[in-house]
Amino acid sequence: YEANFDQADPEKRLPNFSIVCLPHDHTFGGSPGKPTPKACIAANDLALGMIVDRVSRSRYWAETAIFVTEDDAQDGSDHVDCHRSILLAISPYS
């Protein structure tokens, strides 16, 4: 998207809906030659911050909502159901 992000042409604008999966899976962190779990989390946190920074400073921001959730609750399951997970809502409205 970066190449066309600031284009005025409506055919090249951001799509109305995107799903982004951040690439570092902390579960392979114990494997030799792979990043550690802490490094994976830090890389994904940085990537999310870069996405939010870029979108929030763009012409798209007024009409954008970014929803962030974990792929699974891991060790953070709550007292109700282990399938529940946190959700972040990032937008000018939240």
Side-chain angles (χ1 to χ4, degrees), residues 25-89:
D25 184 354
H26 63 279
T27 59
F28 66 50
S31 302
K34 298 290 186 180
T36 65
K38 286 183 180 181
C40 291
I41 292 167
N44 284 345
D45 285 353
L46 175 61
L48 176 60
M50 293 171 70
I51 292 168
V52 172
D53 182 64
R54 182 69 169 109
V55 173
S56 67
R57 297 170 189 263
S58 74
R59 62 190 175 114
Y60 302 105
W61 184 237
E63 300 174 345
T64 298
I66 300 171
F67 298 101
V68 182
T69 190
E70 301 172 316
D71 60 340
D72 53 55
Q74 295 292 322
D75 191 30
S77 58
D78 66 15
H79 64 286
V80 177
D81 188 339
C82 67
H83 294 95
R84 292 171 25 137
S85 187
I86 63 165
L87 174 80
L88 304 175

